[in-house]
């Protein structure tokens, strides 16, 4: 009897040890596979990005991902018996050749575990951090995405060690102004059958970018260049005044045509098709006289060299990156004087022959409304102002005053609106292609302006690409800026949105963390029907929502809010 008991005990212990060994090998093999795989999962907790008023632009969302190890399942010869489960969600093509299969993403660990069911023994559940991006109003082309795009604010912040330096980073962008700028630009691009457009709005004193909209597949405000056209005239006049090459009372004669080199190799005419007669500096800017600015360039060249002119252009920030927090910014093109022809300075006077980015243009032009100081542009709400004096304050003030007449009686009269005083300069730049030259009938319509005229708060640039109806900057681009500032100022007067979150019609808000009663009222105020709302859980705080934030809502969309205490 004792012998039988010893044999039984030996067999039992051997079987137990065998099961433990098999389980260990089984789990160890599975664990090893998943340990190697888990390093590839997205779990970086970078800083969240908010606008200047605290509205979310990019935030971190804590989730759980369930992954099934199909390689391990196949090695255990269990693939065939589980294939019917896998095929409920995935086709044969999707599961035949991969090793790891993402089963789903969940708000809680429990949801993932329950959903996996019998697949749990081949699976692992991981906590992950998802970056959720507000991509409305062309923000996607501005913000970019870490490890996914080679351009944008976020990749710049990551590359420079800023994105993981704090929990929240406040950007200078104002989402309300971004929305208005996007809508006004889009309306004009559609109305004019244009190929695209750009708007950038900057705080004049600080250089903070409040709005940046691009209606292109890529953001040419920082990654592309254009010829500035007549928007360069105020800077050239400011430089000539500051150097006492001309004085405020000088007069110039605008005839039918003008040859600044004294030869027939370069002819200058007025865009109106006729001469203006005698014009002063104010009229040169107000009516955008090409002949007067060519004569001013002649005076500059009488006293200074091409090298001096080149250095002045660099002083305004042309030909080099502004250094704004945007990965992908380019230098633009300002040819070195050794490559200039006799006519090149006069081409530059007309805003031709150089390529500048819109962010360079607005930063340089801002010297005038900012009392002669160049301020470095920035996307950060909290940052020390970096500025330098480029022209004297008296020169800046007088040129700023002259530019106010552009809207009231000059080339930007279509931008005039009662009670809204805007100054600025129009420009119309013929488009060019490498190896081809200027393209007949193809233009950029430009307006660079500031608001209000007295003690400016904002400086802005508008670019409309190849409009088909009208093409002069004053006809097409200037009214966009007026409409932006008019709508923004009116909405600011009529609602105290400065310290409130911004919500948009037909766009799902981010309600996580809100009291359920407040979240419910927000949705009703946005026009969501009561019958389309489902509230689950027995708590007071929203912890998840069925529709992701910033997604466009359809009329019949069902929205579920889940709550906990």
């Amino acid at each position: 009897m004792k012998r039988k008991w010893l044999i039984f005990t030996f067999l039992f212990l051997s079987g137990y040890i065998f099961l433990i060994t098999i389980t260990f090998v089984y789990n160890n093999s599975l664990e090893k596979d998943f340990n190697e795989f888990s390093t590839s999962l997205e779990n970086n907790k970078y800083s969240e990005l908010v606008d200047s008023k605290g509205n979310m632009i990019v935030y971190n969302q804590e989730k759980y991902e369930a992954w099934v190890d199909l390689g391990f399942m196949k090695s255990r010869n269990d693939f065939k018996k589980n294939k019917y489960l896998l095929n409920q969600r995935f086709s044969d093509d999707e599961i035949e050749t991969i090793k790891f299969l993402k089963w789903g993403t969940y708000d809680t660990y429990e949801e993932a575990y329950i959903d996996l069911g019998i697949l749990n023994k081949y699976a692992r559940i991981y906590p992950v951090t998802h970056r959720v991006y507000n991509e409305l109003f062309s923000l996607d082309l501005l913000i970019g995405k870490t490890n996914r795009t080679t351009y944008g604010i976020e990749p710049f912040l990551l590359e420079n060690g800023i994105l993981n330096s704090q929990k929240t980073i406040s950007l200078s962008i104002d989402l309300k102004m971004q929305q208005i700028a996007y809508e006004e630009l889009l309306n004009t691009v559609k109305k004019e059958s244009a190929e695209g457009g750009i708007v950038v709005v900057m705080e004049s004193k600080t250089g903070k970018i409040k709005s940046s909209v691009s209606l292109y597949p890529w953001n040419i405000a920082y990654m592309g260049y254009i010829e500035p056209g007549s928007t360069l005239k105020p800077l050239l006049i400011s430089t000539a005044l500051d150097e006492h090459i001309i004085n405020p009372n000088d007069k110039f004669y605008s005839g039918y045509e003008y040859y600044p080199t004294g030869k027939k190799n370069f002819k200058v005419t007025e865009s109106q098709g006729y001469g203006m007669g005698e014009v002063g500096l104010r009229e040169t800017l107000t009516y955008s006289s090409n002949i007067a600015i060519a004569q001013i360039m002649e005076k500059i060249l009488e006293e200074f060299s091409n090298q001096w002119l080149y250095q002045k252009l660099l002083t305004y920030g042309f030909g080099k990156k502004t250094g704004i927090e945007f990965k992908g910014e380019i230098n633009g093109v300002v040819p070195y004087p050794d490559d200039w022809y006799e006519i090149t300075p006069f081409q530059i006077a007309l805003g031709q022959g150089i390529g500048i980015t819109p962010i360079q243009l607005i930063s340089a032009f801002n010297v005038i409304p900012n009392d002669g100081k160049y301020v470095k542009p920035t996307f950060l709400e909290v940052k020390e102002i970096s500025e330098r004096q480029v022209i004297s304050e008296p020169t800046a003030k007088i040129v700023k005053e002259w530019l106010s007449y552009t809207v009231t009686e000059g080339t930007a009269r279509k931008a005039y609106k009662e009670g809204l005083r805007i100054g600025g300069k129009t420009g119309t730049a013929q488009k060019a292609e490498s190896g081809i030259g200027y393209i007949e009938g193809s233009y950029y319509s430009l307006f660079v302006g500031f608001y209000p005229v007295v003690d400016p708060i904002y400086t802005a640039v508008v670019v409309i690409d190849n409009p088909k109806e009208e093409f002069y900057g004053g006809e097409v681009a200037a009214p966009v800026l007026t409409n932006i500032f008019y709508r923004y100022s009116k909405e600011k007067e009529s609602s105290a949105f400065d310290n409130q979150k911004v919500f948009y019609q037909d766009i799902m808000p981010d309600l996580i963390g809100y009291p359920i009663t407040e979240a419910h009222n927000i949705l009703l105020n946005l026009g969501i029907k009561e019958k389309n709302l489902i509230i689950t859980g027995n708590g007071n705080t929203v912890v998840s929502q069925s529709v992701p934030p910033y997604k466009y809502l359809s009329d019949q969309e069902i929205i579920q809010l889940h709550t906990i205490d």
Side-chain angles (χ1 to χ4, degrees):
M1 186 71 182
K2 187 175 181 182
R3 186 179 177 190
K4 287 183 178 180
W5 173 253
L6 290 173
I7 292 171
F8 173 78
T9 304
F10 174 77
L11 291 174
F12 176 79
L13 291 175
S14 298
Y16 182 71
I17 292 170
F18 176 76
L19 287 174
I20 291 175
T21 303
I22 291 297
T23 302
F24 174 78
V25 172
Y26 182 94
N27 286 329
N28 189 55
S29 176
L30 182 63
E31 197 65 37
K32 181 180 178 183
D33 281 353
F34 273 117
N35 283 340
E36 294 175 358
F37 167 72
S38 62
T39 58
S40 66
L41 292 177
E42 180 180 1
N43 203 28
N44 292 310
K45 289 190 177 181
Y46 297 123
S47 304
E48 295 183 325
L49 305 181
V50 299
D51 82 339
S52 59
K53 295 180 174 61
N55 297 298
M56 199 62 69
I57 294 178
V58 184
Y59 72 95
N60 296 320
Q61 192 173 56
E62 303 303 321
K63 294 282 188 179
Y64 291 87
E65 289 183 359
W67 288 83
V68 179
D69 188 341
L70 296 182
F72 182 76
M73 184 187 292
K74 291 173 183 177
S75 71
R76 293 291 175 263
N77 296 318
D78 292 341
F79 182 73
K80 286 185 179 180
K81 73 178 184 181
N82 290 301
K83 192 169 179 293
Y84 77 98
L85 284 174
L86 301 173
N87 284 147
Q88 290 177 13
R89 296 191 186 181
F90 304 95
S91 67
D92 287 342
D93 289 341
E94 291 176 301
I95 62 177
E96 285 295 341
T97 57
I98 62 172
K99 178 173 176 56
F100 294 103
L101 177 69
K102 183 178 178 181
W103 191 247
T105 303
Y106 310 88
D107 292 324
T108 66
Y109 184 95
E110 290 74 16
E111 289 178 11
Y113 187 85
I114 293 170
D115 192 43
L116 280 167
I118 65 172
L119 295 177
N120 267 293
K121 63 180 180 179
Y122 311 104
R124 287 291 182 269
I125 301 170
Y126 297 97
V128 293
T129 302
H130 285 188
R131 297 284 279 176
V132 181
Y133 295 84
N134 183 342
E135 296 184 346
L136 300 173
F137 319 130
S138 88
L139 282 172
D140 54 331
L141 295 177
L142 181 64
I143 302 300
K145 293 182 179 180
T146 299
N147 301 325
R148 298 184 193 175
T149 64
T150 57
Y151 62 83
I153 296 173
E154 188 173 86
F156 179 96
L157 298 179
L158 176 64
E159 196 172 86
N160 289 273
I162 303 172
L163 194 60
N164 48 13
S165 63
Q166 52 196 294
K167 185 178 186 301
T168 303
I169 297 174
S170 295
L171 300 182
S172 58
I173 295 294
D174 179 336
L175 278 183
K176 176 56 68 173
M177 183 174 283
Q178 182 80 6
Q179 177 192 9
I180 294 171
Y182 175 83
E183 292 172 351
E184 292 299 330
L185 183 64
L186 183 62
N187 287 340
T188 298
V189 167
K190 287 182 176 179
K191 177 185 173 184
E192 300 294 335
S193 301
E195 295 176 9
I198 291 288
V199 169
V200 181
V201 181
M202 166 195 286
E203 275 187 356
S204 305
K205 302 298 182 186
T206 66
K208 294 177 184 177
I209 304 300
K210 308 307 293 182
S211 170
S212 180
V213 178
S214 174
L215 297 184
Y216 288 93
W218 51 294
N219 203 327
I220 73 163
Y222 314 93
M223 303 168 68
Y225 59 80
I226 60 175
E227 291 187 341
S230 292
T231 60
L232 197 62
K233 288 173 182 172
L235 302 183
L236 293 174
I237 287 176
S238 297
T239 299
L241 283 169
D242 232 32
E243 297 290 339
H244 306 293
I245 298 169
I246 57 176
N247 68 69
N249 298 316
D250 280 350
K251 302 289 183 181
F252 302 90
Y253 183 76
S254 166
Y256 176 70
E257 58 186 32
Y258 184 68
Y259 295 91
T261 64
K263 307 171 187 176
K264 297 293 184 179
N265 60 349
F266 192 70
K267 181 173 74 172
V268 179
T269 60
E270 303 292 12
S271 59
Q272 297 90 336
Y274 54 83
M276 302 179 189
E278 189 176 71
V279 295
L281 294 179
R282 195 194 87 176
E283 290 78 22
T284 297
L285 293 174
T286 301
Y287 304 108
S288 199
S289 173
N290 293 332
I291 291 176
I293 198 68
Q295 293 176 14
I296 291 170
M297 181 56 73
E298 274 192 278
K299 286 180 170 288
I300 291 173
L301 296 176
E302 287 173 3
E303 298 193 30
F304 295 99
S305 66
N306 288 346
Q307 181 65 38
W308 178 90
L309 177 59
Y310 172 78
Q311 290 298 329
K312 285 295 179 182
L313 293 173
L314 299 187
T315 301
Y316 282 107
F318 300 138
K320 56 186 176 182
K321 299 175 184 179
T322 64
I324 194 169
E325 301 87 0
F326 187 96
K327 185 176 180 179
E329 184 188 13
I330 64 172
N331 290 317
V333 179
V334 179
Y336 193 71
D338 287 351
D339 299 321
W340 290 11
Y341 298 98
E342 182 182 20
I343 65 173
T344 298
F346 301 103
Q347 289 177 313
I348 292 173
L350 302 178
Q352 300 173 347
I354 60 174
I356 62 178
T357 63
I359 189 62
Q360 289 173 340
L361 179 55
I362 187 177
S363 301
F365 188 89
N366 187 54
V367 165
I368 295 169
N370 194 33
D371 297 329
K373 294 187 287 289
Y374 179 97
V375 59
K376 182 180 178 179
T378 181
F379 281 118
L380 298 179
E381 179 66 13
V382 181
K383 186 176 181 179
E384 185 176 347
I385 298 173
S386 175
E387 61 183 12
R388 53 186 170 80
Q389 200 76 33
V390 176
I391 58 174
S392 67
E393 184 174 339
T395 295
K397 286 186 179 299
I398 192 170
V399 175
K400 182 183 73 173
E401 181 192 351
W402 289 340
L403 289 171
S404 68
Y405 291 96
T406 305
V407 175
T408 56
E409 61 184 66
T411 54
R413 289 189 301 277
K414 276 198 172 182
Y416 177 77
K417 189 179 285 289
E418 187 70 35
L420 195 77
R421 290 206 65 197
I422 291 178
K425 183 70 190 75
T426 59
T428 305
Q430 194 169 4
K431 293 179 69 173
E433 284 189 18
S434 178
I436 297 175
Y438 291 108
I439 305 170
E440 187 67 32
S442 189
Y443 300 93
Y444 287 113
S445 297
L446 313 173
F447 184 69
V448 192
F450 50 89
Y451 164 79
V453 168
V454 179
D455 197 16
I457 300 173
Y458 303 110
T459 305
V461 60
V462 179
V463 181
I464 307 296
D465 186 348
N466 202 21
K468 302 300 187 297
E469 305 302 320
E470 303 284 349
F471 62 86
Y472 287 116
E475 302 283 333
V476 180
V480 174
L481 196 55
T482 296
N483 293 339
I484 291 171
F485 289 140
Y486 180 78
R487 282 184 56 189
Y488 186 78
S489 61
K490 288 301 178 184
E491 291 198 31
K492 198 169 183 179
E493 290 173 7
S494 62
S495 65
F497 67 74
D498 278 337
N499 298 311
Q500 297 179 359
K501 297 293 182 183
V502 180
F503 301 106
Y504 307 100
Q505 199 74 25
D506 301 325
I507 295 167
M508 182 66 192
D510 179 10
L511 298 176
I512 295 174
Y514 274 76
I516 186 58
T517 53
E518 185 177 347
H520 182 259
N521 288 332
I522 288 170
L523 292 175
L524 292 179
N525 288 331
L526 289 175
I528 307 301
K529 296 176 181 177
E530 182 78 49
K531 67 177 183 179
N532 291 343
L533 298 180
I534 299 174
I535 298 173
T536 58
N538 56 0
N540 295 317
T541 304
V542 178
V543 294
S544 67
Q545 56 190 63
S546 61
V547 180
Y550 316 121
K551 177 181 179 292
Y552 283 97
L553 295 170
S554 63
D555 292 337
Q556 305 303 318
E557 189 113 38
I558 302 297
I559 300 171
Q560 178 182 346
L561 302 180
H562 184 66
T563 65
I564 61 172
D565 285 324

